[in-house]
Amino acid sequence: MLLVAVLVYPLLIVFLRVSGKRTLAKMNAFDLIVTVALGSTLATILLSKDVSLAEGAAALVMLVVLQLVMTWLAVRFGAVRRLLKSEPTVLLRDGSMLTDAMRAQRVTEGEIRQSVRSQGIGDLALVAAVVLETDGSFSVIASAQAGDLTALPGSSSTGDDV
């Protein structure tokens, strides 16, 4: 087991570097699944006498290649992107909670208020938007920095269609 660990660990580091920064960044559901699968495969290689080093390395390579292919497709095709990744969701707009969006995303009013407070803002009226990002984090946009809100999901260049 010690020999296999010494051989596989550098291989995993190489595979993670090849798979790109996104594998190690804040993860959406797709990235999390790939990362857990890599860890599970590594554990199987290390702990199972029934799996050879070559079989384990092939499984790691396959996971990395599949991730690269899927992310390549997601960048180029909207349908694949929508299948793999969620879209950001506006939960608060101009100080008002968007209850339908909150309910759909299973977010409470308390969570939104906490995200606003964590940005040092004490009044919801001073918030242009709170967005639930694809990685599960909240982005809080203060009214003073809102500009035309074209950074919001579904915005046009004028920000009128959000």
Side-chain angles (χ1 to χ4, degrees), residues 108-132:
T108 67
E109 183 178 315
E111 290 171 305
I112 293 175
R113 289 180 186 280
Q114 178 184 6
S115 68
V116 170
R117 288 191 307 270
S118 71
Q119 297 300 309
I121 302 171
D123 185 350
L124 292 180
L126 300 176
V127 178
V130 174
V131 179
L132 178 63

